[in-house]
Amino acid sequence: MTTDEASPWLVVGLGNPGPEYAANRHNVGFMVADLLADRMGGRFKAHKSRAQVVEGRVGAPGPASRRVIVAKPMSFMNLSGGPTTALRDFYKVPVGHVIAIHDELDIDYGALRLKLGGGDNGHNGLKSITKSLGPDYFRVRFGIGRPPGRMDVAAFVLKDFSAAERKELDYFVDRAADAVETLIVDGLERAQSTYNS
């Protein structure tokens, strides 16, 4: 096992802190992070990096399992880079082991796309992380679709999922958590071929 393989992974769910944002489309990264923490049997604890973190393992017990830190920055979306960089430094995570989970307007609701690197597509959370880390981290993009009619994008992402969307939300969040685990254990190609839609 190389040093890089032995290095921990940092999974950052993007969102805004506070109960008024909890069910917003923009907070789907937090929702996936919550489920991953749940699966690892951990509870979020405050960390000095201005994030809540859970440490655990992903994958089959034994040499194949990977050490993972799941984090929710408590800095608000457009400042996500500060806590992410602080956590990367604290846990000594290589940039190639950082995964950001975020909402994506240009993908249909519930569809997933996994990729390494790229632009921020106007997403303030990614913009902030890229400014701090550079672009070479993984992204798990969770489709939320475009706003209806002439609704402002900022208003759309800060609204809760619709009643129709909520019927399938748990299933899609579950699938996104599976995709993150597959990316960590089996690599990007396997995760893309299984989950990209």
Side-chain angles (χ1 to χ4, degrees), residues 46-165:
H47 188 271
K48 64 182 182 184
S49 61
R50 289 192 337 237
Q52 290 188 349
V53 299
V54 170
E55 295 179 57
R57 299 193 82 81
V58 162
S65 91
R66 302 280 180 260
R67 183 171 167 233
V68 178
I69 296 97
V70 177
K72 298 192 293 186
M74 293 287 115
S75 57
F76 286 95
M77 181 69 85
N78 56 356
L79 299 171
S80 301
T84 302
T85 305
L87 288 166
R88 182 209 57 185
D89 294 347
F90 182 84
Y91 288 104
K92 299 180 174 49
V93 178
V95 173
H97 276 201
V98 176
I99 303 171
I101 310 164
H102 64 93
D103 56 307
E104 177 61 65
L105 288 157
D106 288 335
I107 302 174
D108 290 339
Y109 173 62
L112 292 175
R113 300 265 167 78
L114 288 80
K115 67 175 195 169
L116 173 62
D120 57 54
N121 204 15
H123 192 289
N124 289 331
L126 294 183
K127 205 173 282 183
S128 177
I129 292 174
T130 299
K131 196 172 163 191
S132 297
L133 292 186
D136 300 326
Y137 55 92
F138 289 101
R139 297 100 191 278
V140 174
R141 304 156 74 206
F142 188 113
I144 59 168
R146 282 259 158 208
R150 293 168 182 261
M151 185 192 280
D152 177 56
V153 165
F156 178 71
V157 299
L158 292 175
K159 276 198 174 322
D160 289 2
F161 285 100
S162 69
E165 288 170 334

Side-chain angles (χ1 to χ4, degrees), residues 1 6-7 22 31 34 60 131 145 151 160 163 172:
M1 187 183 282
S7 299
M31 296 172 197
D34 285 338
K131 196 172 163 191
M151 185 192 280
D160 289 2
F172 289 139

Side-chain angles (χ1 to χ4, degrees), residues 32 109-112 142 165 168-177:
V32 178
Y109 173 62
L112 292 175
F142 188 113
E165 288 170 334
E168 296 179 294
L169 184 59
D170 287 349
Y171 167 75
F172 289 139
V173 167
D174 198 61
R175 202 165 171 270

